[in-house]
Amino acid sequence: MARTRDQDACPGALQVHQAADGALARVRLPGGMISAQQLEALATAAARWASPAMELTSRGNIQIRAVTDTAAVADALAAAGLLPSDSHERVRNIIASPLSGRVGGAADIRGLVTELDHAIRAQPALAGLPGRFLFGLDDGRGDVSGLAPDAGILIIDDSAALLLAGRDTGVRLSMPDAVGALVTVANRFTASRGTCWRISELDDPQRLLTDFAVTARAGAMWPPVTRGPIGWIEQEDGRVALGAAVPLGVLNARVAEYFAAINAPMVVTPWRSVLVFDLDDEVADVALRVLAPMGLVFDENSPWLSISACTGSPGCEHSAADVRSDAAAAVAECRRRAGSGDEPAVGHRHFVGCQRACGSPATGDVLVATGDGYRTRDTHP
């Protein structure tokens, strides 16, 4: 795919995007991992210097809109440990199986998230990666691999399959070699990408595998996943995790403060939900009773899990409609139909304000606003 420029304009915490509603800052959270103190710092920054309506992204990051003081926000993020590198802050794009080490999976990959993040920041050349380049660490369940990260691994037995653009290359790695292999692939992509932003845009992605031994059958892919773990989840150690979907990915700073008050480890998932871990039954029960009335979704049958949207108007100048309002109306219609006994809509629907189709999930219908209703996008982004 030919690009007219070699660098994308993905925002970061320092390189902000000037949207219709003001500056937009995006905070990378490798593996979606965030502490209670860090989430509280983000909520405070949003309430003081931006819109309190924070947004969860399809890569497990958090962005703040309508920033009035970008320097103050950056300072607050740095103080909270959310900005460990000025030069690499846009390229720390790592998604990972969010339940790893607590429920299921073939291995605990949480340590690999930290190791990969450090390895990326230790490579000066990788500061030149496009902000859209995505790393994936899948603990064997196939959830992250189904999102087709540019360079990823999937645990198979006691080894790791190397994936490019979500496809198995046939290369098998020992666990200690996994992070080094991902960094090698990223360095080779950086040096040879031309104007490509993603590995899937290369004419010959296989050239990134020079010197890697192919020892297994290549070509396998994993089905896209459109929703994360929801509700009351029993961990293997007897404790509890709570999975809360955030409708349309809009997390109000006040609600984020309540999450932080639980004072437990958290992960923001690529499905715009929040997982809170390591709770005893009593704490989990209280947290559920407090958070559910705030509009968070703990019901795996909720129609909110099948509806998503980009920012739309008035926040985005490219949008032809207030797509979030239209998406909310679609949820209300689903509930009406279910209550009347009619068949509800089937499949995931993503409402977008323009052809760029920001934030589209890997599968489902993408509905593009035309100014006079919506049309289904012919090809998936």
Side-chain angles (χ1 to χ4, degrees):
M1 176 179 177
R3 299 276 187 182
T4 57
R5 52 194 170 93
D6 63 355
Q7 290 295 336
D8 67 293
C10 269
L14 300 176
Q15 179 182 305
V16 299
H17 168 67
Q18 294 299 327
D21 56 352
L24 182 154
R26 182 174 299 160
V27 185
R28 266 60 176 191
L29 305 175
M33 298 176 184
I34 187 168
S35 70
Q37 294 73 26
Q38 288 173 329
L39 183 59
E40 183 176 26
L42 263 177
T44 299
R48 288 182 178 176
W49 301 298
S51 166
M54 302 188 297
E55 296 176 336
L56 311 186
T57 78
S58 59
R59 293 180 165 198
N61 298 318
I62 298 179
Q63 58 190 28
I64 304 175
R65 305 190 67 90
V67 178
T68 57
D69 191 332
T70 56
V73 168
D75 288 344
L77 298 179
L82 289 166
L83 192 56
S85 169
D86 291 358
S87 58
H88 289 65
E89 60 109 359
R90 289 196 321 132
V91 302
R92 301 167 63 234
N93 295 306
I94 305 170
I95 55 175
S97 300
L99 289 177
S100 189
R102 292 183 171 96
V103 182
D108 184 350
I109 49 84
R110 288 177 291 176
L112 292 180
V113 174
T114 303
E115 183 183 346
L116 178 57
D117 184 28
H118 282 273
I120 292 168
R121 289 186 275 126
Q123 295 281 321
L126 292 188
L129 271 176
R132 300 190 186 190
F133 190 94
L134 181 63
F135 295 91
L137 300 173
D138 193 312
D139 69 0
R141 72 188 75 216
D143 54 353
V144 163
S145 298
L147 301 177
D150 292 275
I153 60 164
L154 179 136
I155 305 302
I156 300 176
D157 298 324
D158 58 351
S159 65
L162 178 62
L163 278 55
L164 295 184
R167 186 181 299 274
D168 189 352
T169 63
V171 174
R172 295 294 180 264
L173 306 162
S174 67
M175 295 295 289
D177 293 334
V179 166
L182 292 175
V183 170
T184 294
V185 167
N187 271 314
R188 289 175 178 176
F189 176 78
T190 303
S192 63
R193 67 182 181 86
T195 59
C196 295
W197 297 345
R198 307 293 304 274
I199 279 182
S200 60
E201 298 167 7
L202 295 175
D203 292 333
D204 180 21
Q206 293 300 113
R207 72 182 188 226
L208 303 176
L209 300 177
T210 303
D211 302 328
F212 284 101
V214 176
T215 60
R217 185 173 180 177
M221 299 188 73
W222 285 261
V225 175
T226 59
R227 58 179 65 183
I230 294 297
W232 185 285
I233 303 164
E234 297 284 350
Q235 296 182 185
E236 291 169 358
D237 62 2
R239 292 182 291 181
V240 175
L242 290 179
V246 180
L248 304 181
V250 180
L251 179 64
N252 189 275
R254 184 61 176 156
V255 178
E257 289 172 352
Y258 277 92
F259 270 120
I262 301 171
N263 195 26
M266 286 176 282
V267 163
V268 176
T269 80
W271 305 282
R272 296 184 175 90
S273 61
V274 178
L275 283 162
V276 187
F277 296 109
D278 304 341
L279 309 176
D280 62 37
D281 286 7
E282 183 178 355
V283 172
D285 184 64
V286 171
L288 186 59
R289 293 175 184 273
V290 170
L291 293 171
M294 295 182 176
L296 299 168
V297 176
F298 295 91
D299 177 8
E300 62 182 10
N301 296 311
S302 170
W304 277 116
L305 302 182
S306 299
I307 299 288
S308 57
C310 71
T311 297
S313 300
C316 177
E317 63 182 4
H318 300 286
S319 180
D322 182 352
V323 296
R324 285 181 174 165
S325 292
D326 293 337
V331 169
E333 175 63 13
C334 284
R335 287 175 170 157
R336 185 198 68 76
R337 292 176 67 86
S340 65
D342 295 337
E343 287 292 325
V346 177
H348 193 96
R349 289 178 290 167
H350 183 67
F351 290 75
V352 298
C354 73
Q355 188 64 21
R356 297 192 304 174
C358 293
S360 294
T363 188
D365 290 333
V366 178
L367 306 177
V368 184
T370 64
D372 185 26
Y374 289 84
R375 64 171 179 81
T376 303
R377 201 177 195 271
D378 295 332
T379 57
H380 212 275

